[in-house]
Amino acid sequence: MTSLAPLPAISDIRLLSGDVTNAYGNIEFIGGREEYTSKYIRIGSQTDPEHVIRFMRDVWKLKIPNLIISVTGGAANFNMKSNLTKTFRKSLIKAAESTGSWIVSGGTHSGVMLHVGKAVKEYAHVTESQQVVALGVATWGVIHNREQLLNESRQSISQNALYQLEKPAAGLTTLDKNHSHFILVDDGSEKSFGKEIEFRARLEAHIAQQTSINGVRVLNVCLIVQGGPNSLKTAYSALKEDIPVVVVGGSGGWASILSTVYHKSHTDITEVLIHDLLEEQGILPRHPIVIRPQDLSYWTNMTRECVLMKRKITIFETDATDDSVRDLDVAILQSILTNNSNTDMAEEQLKLCLAWNRSDIARDYIFNDESCFSEHVLKTFFIEAFVQNRHEFVGLFLEFGVSRALNYDEILDIYRQILDDESGGNLLRKMTSQHSTFDYVHVSRLARRLLGPSFISCYPLPSARSRSYQMSGVNENNSNKSPRPQQRQFGWNLQQNSSVRGRVGGADEADGMKELFFICLLLNWNDMSLILWRILSDPLSASIAAFRVLKSISKSSPVKEEEEALQLHLEEYRRLTIGLLDECYGNDKHKTCKLLTRCLPRWGELTCLRMMVDAHDMDLVAHPAVQYLLNDIWMGGMDKDTGMWTVVAACVFPALVPCMIQFDPIMRKSEDGEEVAGERGFFDKIFNFYNSPVVGFGLNTISYLLFLLLFAIVLLFNLPTTTPTSGTSLSAAEISLVIWISILLADEINEIAKKKRNKEILKRLRLWINNNWNKLDLIGMTLYIAGFVLRFYSIESSRILLCLAFIAYSIRLLHIFAIHRTLGPKVIMVGKMIRDLVFFMFILLVFLVAYGVVRQSLLYPDEKRIGHAIIGVLNKPYWNIYGELFLEEINYNPTEDEFTCSNDEGEISAGYQPCPQQQAAVPVLSALYLLFANVLLLNLLIAMFTYSFDNLIENSDKIWKLQLYELIEEYYYKPPLFTPLSIFSHIYTLATYMTSLCSKTSNTTTTSDNQVAGSVKDDDFKRSSGNAERLRLNVWLRWCVDAYLLTSHDRDDVETNVSKINDRIDAVMLSLEGVARHLSSQKKMKRRVKSLEKKLVNSAEALDWIMSALKDNSTFPKTSNKPVHIKARSSPYPHSSTNRFDVPQHLVSWTVPWPDYSPPHHTDRIVLNQPPWADVEVSNQLQATQINISYNSFDNKNLIDRTSHMGKYDIVDGFPRNPCGRTGLSGRGLLGRYGPNHAADPIVTRFERDENNKIVVVDDKAVLQFVAVCRHDTGDWAIPGGMVDPGESVSKTLKREFVEEVEISRSASSEDSNEQILGRVEELLKFGGVEIFRGYCDDFRNTDQAWIETIVMNFHDNDGSIFKHVRLKPGDEASGVKWQKVDRNLQLFASHSKYLKMVAERHNAYF
């Protein structure tokens, strides 16, 4: 086998023999379900830790950590509580990931090391750039299958060492596959554990002397989990070395002992106490003779010493007390912060928290009532947190009042720090290769690139010397370079802007939070940008600017890994912008329009509207607020309800404008700066009318139609047929056309000069040419000028060019359709389909040329004329697509005269068609070509058109609104006079400009600067605002932002609540496990668990209802606790075919909202006939008010008790409402009274007796019998009973109903007379009754507005003497009567079974 040469980086890693280590590289664990790969190295026990650290840094590419979490504890396998296990693993990884820590353990697959490995497996988030380092330091001599790790076991170092996972031999152990790195310490021993402890301590101490990448000293914390006496020694040694110790209480072993004695005084710790605790933890056998007294004394003394240093100990317990911590990661970090030797000052503590990125620790333990930081210190930490993208810390600092004022030097320094960081600043790096020379020239250039060419720099300039050097890229000693050309190369006058915004090279204060917000956008820091966005003075403009910047970045081909995050960031600000616009527009439309059009100095004098349009986002431009503003500008101050015919009439008769047209009040500023409404004057109304875009559009459209008419007349009637000779004059129509087109050219020049302000000429021209309609104007003018010149040289060429110009101008007419909601999108669809057609032509051209070349070659092999050959290749295959097949040519037969041709060279030279060759392949190829061209390609074109149409039709309205903006802006800046009268406006503008040039003075630069600054004039698209107005708008905007965020927060709470509910369910499940462990009796445990499960089900149902209510934004109360009726919801209704409205059980209660509830109405004909026991029918609310039934009281008029046994019931729209909820039916059905219909039900009972007159017993309970009657109406067996008549008492009703339904007479064996028997029965019915039930009766006859309530009385013949010799017969209202045994299986009418159960319970009888 080939020997392996050691790597140069490990030449210092040697074994005890002095040889370079022979075991290192990657280890691949095999034999498990999943394959894992880790790094490892074998070292000698006396190896210098510095060499090992260098190896880890150079070969393993590990960075020095911020913290070392040294985990020690039980080496043997042990069990922890499930909730403690889960918390320990999750919190350990959280502490490691959040602080950039290494977890150091023994690295074997047993004991606490096993828990560490599973924590890494279950909770670590492994990425390419970040991996939890779980370093296992183990003894080489105890590793099972260690020979597999030797280099000699594989061919090369690049190969993985295959390590078989299997049950180890006695005295050995296996490595844990979930650890990422292993250091295997070899001291020459075998099967001897713990030989790595000394080296591990030296290694951890050496790492603790290093400085991490975040500039803080590496700290160390000892974590004790379970463990034996060695863990106690480790804890004591750590405390002596000023290393904080975290003890996991409840994990067993010495960890639990330390957590117990932690709360005691050191004087209370005795050998007896330690002995008892050892036995309690199961560390010692229960035979005292096993314990050596010296060991017990040694452990006791060491425990006392640890308790004396308890300030360095932190106890972590899941069942936390006041002195312990619930989260392990918090306990670890708290132990470090509270260790005085590590952090003597609050600034050092804050620095550590910032390095760990644990703002929660900083908030709880540093930023308390006693914390005090100077403004400078807090600001320094704030900037550092921002540069490191610690958004939670930035929010924390802002919350605790960090100064928000940053000067330009500080902001520039932040830029440079980010550029120096290799992990960020990708877009910034593209701006300059030298970070030290990065200044605001680059920032301005970047802002203009992202926000658009309308951006005007608001940043200060560097010194003239450095600026010349940085911007020209030449040696700064070159004095011949003047600064002015350098400024023009960036496209704007930086010197002029500096006079307005700041001093050259100065450190003036900027809007620091806005600048930091802009940096966040450049770096795509979503969370950070949102925190800063909330504190900006103008969040609306910031969200729109953010959207504009992010959309520009997305078009510059971002890194693929960042593209998804960028899109999420982009959508977040689109959502914020639309939400804020909704909120503002709903509160005040006028102020919202001001927000959209006010100049934003901090955003380069842009406006919100300008940024939205430049972003080309349909959703933003189509927002009602923007459309309201555009409609206002379009109408030019006229009332928005002004009809088009009214506008047309006013155009024809200007004097009628003040009379026919209503104008909005004009807003003027008063002396105190407030805006007040004022009326427009007579001439102001006329001027505003003709200056409005809508009127200008109409007049220019008419003018353009006249122009096309004039052009058509010239083409049809005024052009000569031959080329005119010199001196030939032009016709009047031609002269008019020339003048008209010249004025159109002047219009376009005016548009370039005036529409886009504060731009260079080339950039204005570029912006103008980007408009497709302007391209048509340019094409039309160019063709016309060329055609007009050729008119004097070649009339035919001139006519062609002029016709093409007419076509271009005619197509330009489509622009007027943009004003129409239906036709406007169609024009866009035409343009999109034309682009699709162009791409399709490239595909078609491939097939066309392929077939054309083959066809021409086969039919005319002797063709030498290049022009004719090219025509043959392209012309005829193209016309084949439209059905012109040229069959006589491809099927040429010389014997027939259908195809005229010649083979004579002279005739061919004279222009005759040469005769084609006879080729059988040409028809076949032609058929194949037509198959592809006509069938495949044309259907592809149709599919492309369909796809484009479907995509556009979904957003047609939004596309039209975006197109409408361009139209409104174009006509807003057009001269008031339409073409050709617009020439006078141009003359006036030119004269004004020349006058201003003549009046300019050349003595100061300030004047020039002021003119530039003042060149941005206010108009409807861009308004400047004073400080007072800006402040008022910002205050109002902040109020709208807070309202929107509050509403948005309520919506977002739904997801938060779901997460909290899941956490609570997890907590409940953990509690159930704890309850199960502490239950002593199996029967008791099952009973309690069953009860808890039932509560969980109820809780889950309640939580489901809460979530549904939250999603529906519902705040209705929960369902009622009243009993839910069942029979009252059954269908069909008795004695009818009416089916009830289906009412699910969870919707029975009236408190549950149900907008779709629409029950049918039913009142039986018997009730409608108004018998004495029925109320008058009430059909509507008005009639109910007129009749005025005395609900919830005694009706003295009708002698009816209308109170309810259920309490006061609701009256809705004049009708009572069933107190037990919906029944699915309105009206009264078979019931006579609205509201409660009172009934009385007597239950006459006796004990069942056998032949010996003894009571029959079942299940140790006496059996009852009751008098049951068979109802005439339903045929059901029931309890005797009926309705209470008006003015009748319940006792009378009970007696009357029983007597009416049951006829009593003496039996043959009785010696008493009928009168005597009847007297005893009446006495029982009068004095022997006991009330069983009083309340609502679940009856088939109940409805939403009428229901039965009953009083159930039990009349019991205890000794059986009263009914012993009584014979029962059915009365007038019953078809049968008998003594019926009381049993749960009886099927009785209505709720009678429930009443019998109550009677049986009262007598403790069988049921």
Side-chain angles (χ1 to χ4, degrees), residues 679-693:
E679 290 293 331
R680 302 175 187 265
F682 180 85
F683 293 102
D684 286 341
K685 291 182 178 180
I686 296 178
F687 176 79
N688 288 329
F689 175 78
Y690 284 100
N691 203 36
S692 63

Side-chain angles (χ1 to χ4, degrees), residues 536-570:
L536 296 177
S537 59
D538 187 356
L540 177 61
S541 64
S543 63
I544 297 175
F547 179 81
R548 174 74 176 101
V549 168
L550 293 171
K551 192 161 188 178
S552 298
I553 295 176
S554 66
K555 294 178 181 178
S556 61
S557 300
V559 182
K560 290 185 177 180
E561 290 75 8
E562 299 177 355
E563 187 173 359
E564 183 176 353
L566 183 64
Q567 288 300 321
L568 292 175
H569 200 178
L570 184 70

Side-chain angles (χ1 to χ4, degrees), residues 617-754:
D617 187 79
M618 295 181 296
D619 292 328
L620 297 183
V621 179
H623 192 275
V626 178
Q627 293 304 307
Y628 178 84
L629 171 64
L630 294 179
N631 190 29
D632 188 48
I633 296 174
W634 174 250
M635 297 303 293
M638 291 185 285
D639 188 85
K640 298 174 181 59
D641 295 329
T642 304
M644 284 298 102
W645 289 111
T646 305
V647 175
V648 172
C651 289
V652 178
F653 303 102
L656 298 179
V657 169
C659 304
M660 299 178 61
I661 305 297
Q662 295 293 327
F663 286 87
D664 297 331
I666 186 171
M667 305 303 294
R668 296 186 176 92
K669 290 186 178 180
S670 61
E671 296 179 355
D672 57 356
E674 296 288 339
E675 288 191 346
V676 295
E679 290 293 331
R680 302 175 187 265
F682 180 85
F683 293 102
D684 286 341
K685 291 182 178 180
I686 296 178
F687 176 79
N688 288 329
F689 175 78
Y690 284 100
N691 203 36
S692 63
V694 60
V695 175
F697 172 79
L699 295 177
N700 276 280
T701 299
I702 296 173
S703 169
Y704 197 80
L705 292 173
L706 294 176
F707 161 71
L708 290 179
L709 178 62
L710 176 63
F711 206 154
I713 292 173
V714 170
L715 290 177
L716 294 174
F717 307 112
N718 291 88
L719 282 181
T721 56
T722 60
T723 303
T725 60
S726 59
T728 303
S729 61
L730 301 174
S731 65
E734 288 183 276
I735 294 174
S736 301
L737 183 61
V738 170
I739 295 173
W740 204 312
I741 290 182
S742 300
I743 297 174
L744 287 176
L745 177 61
D747 289 343
E748 299 302 326
I749 294 174
N750 175 76
E751 182 179 349
I752 296 172
K754 293 186 64 177

Side-chain angles (χ1 to χ4, degrees), residues 266 269-271 299-308:
H266 71 282
I269 300 174
T270 63
E271 294 182 4
W299 297 337
T300 303
N301 291 332
M302 191 175 293
T303 305
R304 289 196 191 104
E305 292 297 323
C306 290
V307 172
L308 286 173

Side-chain angles (χ1 to χ4, degrees), residues 256-401:
S256 294
I257 294 175
L258 287 175
S259 65
T260 301
V261 301
Y262 176 85
H263 305 285
K264 299 180 180 295
S265 172
H266 71 282
T267 58
D268 297 332
I269 300 174
T270 63
E271 294 182 4
V272 176
L273 175 63
I274 297 300
H275 183 276
D276 293 341
L277 291 175
L278 288 172
E279 285 191 343
E280 181 181 332
Q281 294 300 323
I283 299 177
L284 299 178
R286 296 191 178 275
H287 301 287
I289 58 173
V290 179
I291 307 174
R292 295 193 304 172
Q294 58 269 31
D295 290 340
L296 184 59
S297 177
Y298 176 74
W299 297 337
T300 303
N301 291 332
M302 191 175 293
T303 305
R304 289 196 191 104
E305 292 297 323
C306 290
V307 172
L308 286 173
M309 295 181 285
K310 67 166 58 179
R311 60 183 177 82
K312 303 174 187 176
I313 300 176
T314 303
I315 304 298
F316 163 70
E317 292 180 338
T318 52
D319 301 328
T321 61
D322 294 339
D323 299 326
S324 55
V325 184
R326 291 181 181 273
D327 296 321
L328 179 59
D329 58 313
V330 176
I332 293 173
L333 302 181
Q334 180 188 352
S335 67
I336 298 174
L337 291 178
T338 54
N339 188 11
N340 293 331
S341 63
N342 287 333
T343 53
D344 296 331
M345 301 175 61
E347 293 181 19
E348 288 296 325
Q349 293 178 334
L350 184 56
K351 188 175 182 180
L352 288 174
C353 289
L354 185 58
W356 300 335
N357 193 22
R358 290 302 298 264
S359 61
D360 55 333
I361 304 296
R363 180 186 297 274
D364 295 336
Y365 297 100
I366 299 177
F367 284 95
N368 48 43
D369 296 336
E370 299 177 357
S371 62
C372 181
F373 293 94
S374 66
E375 181 178 337
H376 173 71
V377 171
L378 203 59
K379 189 174 183 179
T380 302
F381 278 112
F382 172 77
I383 293 176
E384 184 177 354
F386 177 82
V387 173
Q388 297 180 17
N389 191 20
R390 309 284 205 222
H391 64 275
E392 293 177 345
F393 270 99
V394 169
L396 180 64
F397 291 138
L398 290 171
E399 180 181 343
F400 280 88

Side-chain angles (χ1 to χ4, degrees), residues 467-512:
R467 182 177 69 248
S468 176
Y469 174 75
Q470 295 167 15
M471 299 173 66
S472 64
V474 299
N475 192 289
E476 59 183 353
N477 294 325
N478 187 355
S479 59
N480 293 327
K481 282 285 184 180
S482 62
R484 188 171 298 277
Q486 310 303 330
Q487 294 164 4
R488 284 200 296 268
Q489 104 181 22
F490 288 99
W492 74 94
N493 195 321
L494 297 174
Q495 188 175 357
Q496 292 173 348
N497 291 329
S498 66
S499 66
V500 181
R501 301 297 172 214
R503 296 189 299 272
V504 175
D508 301 323
E509 285 194 356
D511 187 350

Side-chain angles (χ1 to χ4, degrees), residues 1306 1310-1318 1320:
R1306 58 184 293 275
S1310 176
E1311 298 178 355
D1312 298 329
S1313 64
N1314 287 335
E1315 290 78 7
Q1316 290 175 325
I1317 292 175
L1318 185 59
R1320 288 196 295 268

